[in-house]
Amino acid sequence: MIRLREAYEAEERERLAGCAVKSADSRGRVVPEPEHRYRTAFQRDRDRVVHSRAFRRLEYKTQVFVHHEGDHYRNRLTHTLEGAQVARTIARALRLNEDLAEAIVLAHDLGHTPFGHAGERVLDALLEADGGFDHNRQSLRIVDLLEERYPGFRGLNLTQETREGILKHGAGWDHPVPLPPETPQHCLEAQLADLADEIAYTNHDLDDGLRAGLLRPEDLTGLSLWREAREKAEARAVGSSEAVIAAQTIVSLLDRLATDVIETAAQRIAAAGADSPDAVRALDAPAVAFSDSVRHELRVLKKHLFERFYLHPRVLRATRRAERILGDLYEAYRRAPELLPEHVSARFETDGRARAIADYIAGMTDGFAQAEHRRLGRLHDGD
Ligand code: MG
């Protein structure tokens, strides 16, 4: 009755494309472990990510809107789940390793600070003399070091392939765990995870921006990707309410982008003749990509999102507040380390004071950072 790991591994060899990463060929984990009886290496990675504390905290971290602004908006967790869904669709269509792509996307935003990119910018500036701060690098710190769940190793001890996908580019910094070998390109599953993230946030940010009234539909009609998606939705949902047509517009756009990636990648992989993961890694350009025309139109659409949504006065107000909160927290902990929990100050020696404080702040949820800010304010007032 029970289907064992070996059966999945054999099936992968039959079902997946030559250029797909096979779980039985994984380059393994930094600390060797026996394989699981009925889960493949990448299924196990995915499960370790889902069971981590950092994953649960994503629910209370900002995507664009701070969590108390409305229950319908995306947070970091729902963004991650939508991205993972897009990744599975693309991976399956291209006969790539769906479990690996899913594990990468589920882990890709673990390192995000509270309050989204505003928090990342503040920490990066504060840590200028100590190596800076970047959420991709922080995601790797979490899975390699900061999660404490297993005997015998720190972190989640994920496979090299999942870590390769989380790392993305730019390993020009100190990381205490050996990094996956650097290659010109990442495996296809890592490449597609990156685009699935972009497809997910572009669509759901449009959706949230319109719902919140920060984006205006009439401003979007000048953008060809949006206009085509809207026309398709209107034709498909004749006689439906505006709510249905609006939802179908997002559906159409998402489908258009995912389909474009699938078709473009299929062509490029075939043209490059890359028939193994290592052949893919040696190529001089990523094979999973948007077509030139969609990439251009998407750039125009994202520019609009950037100017009208991410820089909208209402979003900027929240951004300024977030910057102040994280800046205050960092300064307070630097000045008075006794305010920190012991597990943080205990790492001053090994990780450096700045990095240990940044790890602590980056791990906070929006709500915890706000509460901690109030607590420290009260302590300060009581001086
Ligand atoms: Mg993301």
Side-chain angles (χ1 to χ4, degrees), residues 311-329:
L311 296 182
H312 190 283
R314 199 172 125 198
V315 174
L316 277 185
R317 255 199 311 280
T319 300
R320 299 279 170 265
R321 186 157 178 271
E323 287 170 352
R324 190 162 49 78
I325 290 177
L326 295 196
D328 287 353
L329 288 178

Side-chain angles (χ1 to χ4, degrees), residues 63 76 79-80 105 108-109 112 135 168 197-198 201:
Q63 182 65 26
R76 209 40 84 178
H79 157 67
T80 295
V105 179
H108 88 285
D109 269 354
H112 257 295
H135 78 268
K168 298 194 184 169
D197 175 34
E198 186 176 349
Y201 74 68

Side-chain angles (χ1 to χ4, degrees), residues 12 14 52 64 81 100 161 166 172 197 209 214 286 313 344-345 366:
E12 282 185 0
E14 295 251 306
S52 68
V64 176
L81 296 176
L100 174 57
E161 291 77 12
I166 297 171
D197 175 34
L214 271 53
V344 180
S345 37
D366 293 5

Side-chain angles (χ1 to χ4, degrees), residues 67-109:
H67 64 94
H68 57 73
E69 292 198 60
D71 292 340
H72 295 302
Y73 301 123
R74 270 71 172 189
N75 56 46
R76 209 40 84 178
L77 178 64
T78 55
H79 157 67
T80 295
L81 296 176
E82 289 183 31
Q85 175 268 316
V86 175
R88 283 198 307 268
T89 300
I90 296 173
R92 206 179 295 158
L94 290 167
R95 292 190 298 125
L96 299 175
N97 199 314
E98 195 178 321
D99 297 324
L100 174 57
E102 184 181 21
I104 293 169
V105 179
L106 290 176
H108 88 285
D109 269 354

Side-chain angles (χ1 to χ4, degrees), residues 350-363:
T350 48
D351 299 35
R353 180 186 287 211
R355 186 60 56 195
I357 294 175
D359 285 340
Y360 182 53
I361 293 178

